[in-house]
Amino acid sequence: MLPLVAAKTSRPRMIRAGVDRAHLTRLLEEASGRPVTMVCAGAGWGKTMAVSAWAQARREPVAWLSLDPHDNDPQIFWAYVLAALRVAGAVTDDNPLADLGSVPADDAERGGRLAAGLARLPSGTVLVIDDVHEIDDADVLRELGRLLTRLPPALRVVLVGRAEPALRLHRLRAARQLAEIGAGHLSFTRDEAADLVAGHGLTLTGEELSTLVERTEGWAAGLQLSAAFLATHKGKATIADIAGDVRSVDDYLTEEVLADHTRRQRRFLLQTSICESLCAGLVNAITQGDDGQRTLEQMERDNTFVLRLGAKPLWFRYHHLLRDVLRHRLSLETPGTVPELHRRAARWHAANDSVLEALAHAVEAGDWPYVGRLVATSAGTLMVSAHRAALVRILRAIPAERLHATPELMICAALLLFHAGDYDAIPARLDAARTLLRTRPSGPREPVEIMAYGLQLAADRAAGDMPAVIAGSGRLLDLLAVARSAPAPALAQGRAIALNNRGLALMWTGRPDEAERDLWAGSSAARSAGVELTEINATGHLALLQAMHGSVHEAARLADSAVDLADRRGWRYTLQTVAAHLARALAKLERNDLAAAAHAARDGERAHLSDPEAAQRLVVLGVRARLATARGEHAAARELFDEARRDPPPRLRVPALDTWLALGEAQLELADDRPQLVERRAPEWLPLGAAARVCLARAAYALGNNRRAEVMLDGLAVPERDTVTRAEAGVLTALVADARGHGVRATDVLAEAVTLAAEQGIRRPFTVLASPRLDGLLQRLRMLDPATAELVDELRGGRDDAGTLAESLSARETEILRYLTTMLTAAEIAGDLGLSVNTVKAHMRAVYRKLGAGRRTEAVLAARRNGLL
């Protein structure tokens, strides 16, 4: 949400009294041989216009960014840097920054994403950062300083400011990486001064020019002021009438520049000085006039202190010297009007979807009720967005004693409690807001109610109270369905958020089908409403739901979709991406890709730490524990499961998550060769579903109780989508069948499990149940179906084949093998199959060789021993 992109990323231009300063252009061009240029001088030395003139002559992209005090936030600062590069055409479609929706909040991710994108800029790209002295935030300075010391070859940076920023430029100086241009370089020469005064219709003698340059010391603003003074008093004033120091800038601008305007124009300048950048609509709102565009363009032509931003006259700004004077005069002459002017600016920005800019003006106005209304109707949802830090700074500007004044300001107080993680204190504050709202005689109540429900939902979710989330989501959806006074976009966004929250709460309370319905609906609603963070969160939870219920392929697809969108928008490590990262980790675990699973788990944990939630903390621990189990780090896995159980939050209600953690603990005990511990929990586990029954069957098989294992698996009803449990049950059933002497059934069941593994990319069941018996079964399958050879070898993990059959039977050889158990002769088999006797005999010899047999009876015995018959 960058309300002033056009104004802040447009190169300032002047159409009046232009002076060709060729020596400065040459100086800046020579400086381009070094990565960084610092143009530093006080106010009015012509820094901006000199760099602008040089930039205009360049063929390569020049990105321009004008800073102000509101840019002292890393996300905002880099977002405007990115916007400037885009406006300049430096970010091509194949650049990683092309689809970046917002700058990441995580500083490491932010640095990585920006570095990757800046390295792909076109050769010769220039980034001009004007008014760099406005930056004093330590984080912005640190990150900018890091960039300057590691600039990619394609980019150079020009810093323009009144003072040298705290960027440790001495390191760049020592490395000869910095070019510097100061006031001495910017001073006007006598010839340039002659051109400047000629633009005012003046002709001075050589001596007069020398005196003028000497008295002003070549200061651009001083020369402009002097030329304006002489032009205004043409024939009445001389160089001698100009004070040696060009008088006080404040006095001079007030008496000479402002005095030359009509009373109406002077009022226009004073009133609009409250804004850094101006456009026609904004100034019309502030002045309550209708000639804003005409006035701005006229003053640009007449006044050298009004600058156009960009080629089209849409946005303008006043020279800093003039604006400083105007604001000072406004505070002296009509201080009582200042709050009302800010109110008008705030309302214009709010109506034009610049909510943060609107809030900034409302704060300047001290209009706390309006701040509350803006937060309740438009800005509150920023608390769960990339603009959270900016919103919190604004909320903290509200005086503490005013946070109880209106229901909307109580919402602001509740948002601050949410930011602080004090979820238990939120209900009381919301109840107080509703109580005060009921005393309001008139006016819309729905925005406050909607925001209150949404905030309570967020607090309940963070605390892990899923039944409360389900109930609150239902109430919010009911309210949204009948709301009339709230803006339509807010209603659409609210519906998406409510569906997403209800879906994830249904998931954690063990209602997967209902959860899937709401999460799909929430994802679609979020996409339509343009709230992509909610879309990512809903899609990520859909992926997690699929992963926890065994649908590996679908989980991976959904998780990749959510993470890819987050990456394009710069949100990889936000709260809303946690579920997608963890779903990715679980899918990679089932595919036995432990390195990729560990990477995804780290991403999930990092995103979770940005804004911790109770339920997601348990998932993070559960995923890490499963990963440790897969690596054979059983002590570490047990500690992680213990941590998940230790000191649960008082409101945590996540029964489905409790079951999932219990399943993980059972798998750990089985991996640690302690099946008896799993057996003891059979009474409490049997009702928990198919996955739990498979764990119990594994325990029975490990204890040698094949009959009990067979009973547990017999008639097992596994949902169609739970491919992991189906595959694991198939492998285990094959092992039990083989152990009980049912070799053919074992091979048939294993073939189904292998087919499922091939379709879904599942590998873990074959890893956790690996044994010589499974190796033998897989080898039989390999011989019976040569097409599975590559997959079977992968499932066997590349284990040595010594002592096993090394060659596979072809389809015809398998057919011949079955005839060997009969009394038919080779000639009779040939007749039955329509083959020649010699062909049948050749196949028989191949079967004998592959089975290591010397004659027919030995081949039949070997085939039975290996489960081929």
Side-chain angles (χ1 to χ4, degrees), residues 67-320:
L67 298 175
D68 60 59
H70 297 297
D71 299 324
N72 276 289
D73 174 275
Q75 278 185 277
I76 294 174
F77 174 82
W78 291 111
Y80 276 122
V81 168
L82 176 55
L85 291 167
R86 285 173 172 162
V87 169
V91 180
T92 54
D93 291 342
D94 60 346
N95 191 299
L97 301 176
D99 292 325
L100 192 64
S102 69
V103 172
D106 181 87
D107 57 351
E109 183 192 6
R110 182 167 58 244
R113 295 294 296 274
L114 288 168
L118 295 177
R120 300 278 294 277
L121 294 175
S123 179
T125 298
V126 175
L127 171 62
V128 178
I129 303 179
D130 195 11
D131 296 326
V132 70
H133 59 272
E134 296 284 8
I135 298 300
D136 55 20
D137 179 82
D139 292 331
V140 176
L141 290 169
R142 184 184 67 254
E143 293 180 21
L144 178 57
R146 187 163 56 228
L147 169 67
L148 296 180
T149 58
R150 304 172 186 175
L151 279 179
L155 177 66
R156 63 169 300 217
V157 174
V158 178
L159 304 174
V160 184
R162 297 183 185 181
E164 185 176 301
L167 288 173
R168 299 183 180 179
L169 296 178
H170 62 278
R171 295 182 178 178
L172 294 172
R173 288 191 186 97
R176 300 185 63 80
Q177 299 293 299
L178 176 69
E180 298 182 81
I181 297 174
H185 303 97
L186 294 165
S187 298
F188 270 61
T189 65
R190 198 178 77 162
D191 290 342
E192 290 171 338
D195 290 341
L196 186 148
V197 298
H200 288 265
L202 300 171
T203 302
L204 301 182
T205 66
E207 183 180 352
E208 288 173 325
L209 280 172
S210 297
T211 302
L212 182 61
V213 171
E214 180 183 348
R215 290 192 175 185
T216 60
E217 297 182 356
W219 180 42
L223 287 166
Q224 292 279 16
L225 293 169
S226 300
F229 173 80
L230 292 171
T232 302
H233 301 84
K234 198 169 185 178
K236 301 178 182 177
T238 67
I239 299 296
D241 295 317
I242 300 174
D245 60 355
V246 201
R247 210 178 322 137
S248 161
V249 172
D250 189 333
D251 292 344
Y252 202 97
L253 285 170
T254 301
E255 295 177 16
E256 301 299 338
V257 177
L258 296 185
D260 197 37
H261 289 82
T262 67
R263 184 175 180 179
R264 187 167 179 276
Q265 288 175 326
R266 189 175 188 279
R267 185 173 64 250
F268 180 97
L269 286 165
L270 290 172
Q271 291 180 341
T272 55
S273 68
I274 65 168
C275 296
E276 180 76 22
S277 303
L278 301 162
C279 69
L282 178 56
V283 298
N284 285 341
I286 294 171
T287 63
Q288 297 185 318
D290 58 5
D291 59 347
Q293 185 70 27
R294 185 175 69 253
T295 303
L296 286 169
E297 290 189 32
Q298 181 64 44
M299 286 197 300
E300 180 199 14
R301 287 190 294 270
D302 297 343
N303 189 333
T304 56
F305 290 89
V306 178
L307 306 179
R308 176 193 302 189
L309 301 176
K312 296 181 180 180
L314 299 177
W315 286 88
F316 300 81
R317 74 169 173 85
Y318 299 142
H319 190 287
H320 296 309

Side-chain angles (χ1 to χ4, degrees), residues 539 542-544 546-547 551-564 580 583-588 591 760:
T539 305
L542 272 170
L544 196 55
Q546 300 294 339
S551 186
V552 176
H553 183 74
E554 184 67 1
R557 185 187 69 81
L558 289 167
D560 288 347
S561 170
V563 173
D564 287 349
R584 249 186 175 179
L586 291 174
K588 297 296 184 184
R591 291 172 170 173
Q760 295 284 322

Side-chain angles (χ1 to χ4, degrees), residues 527-691:
R527 191 177 306 114
S528 299
V531 279
E532 289 183 320
L533 279 170
T534 301
E535 179 187 351
I536 290 168
N537 197 237
T539 305
H541 277 92
L542 272 170
L544 196 55
L545 178 68
Q546 300 294 339
M548 289 181 164
H549 287 80
S551 186
V552 176
H553 183 74
E554 184 67 1
R557 185 187 69 81
L558 289 167
D560 288 347
S561 170
V563 173
D564 287 349
L565 177 57
D567 276 345
R568 291 198 304 273
R569 300 296 184 260
W571 299 329
R572 187 178 187 87
Y573 298 114
T574 58
L575 162 72
Q576 290 81 2
T577 64
V578 176
H581 289 307
L582 298 179
R584 249 186 175 179
L586 291 174
K588 297 296 184 184
L589 265 177
E590 294 300 337
R591 291 172 170 173
N592 207 38
D593 188 349
L594 301 189
H599 187 275
R602 285 194 298 271
D603 283 348
E605 183 173 17
R606 184 170 167 184
H608 162 73
L609 292 174
S610 70
D611 196 4
E613 288 186 352
Q616 288 191 151
R617 172 180 173 272
L618 296 186
V619 186
V620 169
L621 291 170
V623 169
R624 290 177 58 201
R626 278 171 161 75
L627 182 60
T629 300
R631 288 170 165 168
E633 301 165 356
H634 299 154
R638 188 165 284 107
E639 174 57 32
L640 288 164
F641 280 123
D642 289 344
E643 185 180 347
R645 300 293 189 197
R646 195 180 302 131
D647 301 325
R651 295 177 56 202
L652 185 64
R653 301 290 185 275
V654 284
L657 191 46
D658 293 336
T659 299
W660 179 75
L661 289 170
L663 282 170
E665 290 178 288
Q667 291 166 355
L668 168 61
E669 302 301 355
L670 290 168
D672 203 20
D673 198 23
R674 301 203 289 183
Q676 67 279 3
L677 296 180
V678 179
E679 275 269 294
R680 291 174 192 166
R681 300 184 66 177
E684 61 181 282
W685 273 53
L686 281 174
L688 296 184

Side-chain angles (χ1 to χ4, degrees), residues 458-542:
D460 290 338
R461 169 177 164 174
D465 190 347
M466 297 304 157
V469 173
I470 294 171
S473 298
R475 288 193 292 269
L476 178 55
L477 286 167
D478 290 343
L479 177 59
L480 291 168
V482 299
R484 295 294 178 268
S485 60
L491 296 176
Q493 293 171 8
R495 184 172 182 276
I497 292 169
L499 285 168
N500 175 50
N501 279 291
R502 189 169 70 179
L504 68 89
L506 289 166
M507 170 180 167
W508 295 134
T509 50
R511 295 154 68 178
D513 293 336
E514 296 171 79
E516 188 172 18
R517 178 200 65 203
D518 272 2
L519 288 171
W520 274 118
S523 177
S524 299
R527 191 177 306 114
S528 299
V531 279
E532 289 183 320
L533 279 170
T534 301
E535 179 187 351
I536 290 168
N537 197 237
T539 305
H541 277 92
L542 272 170

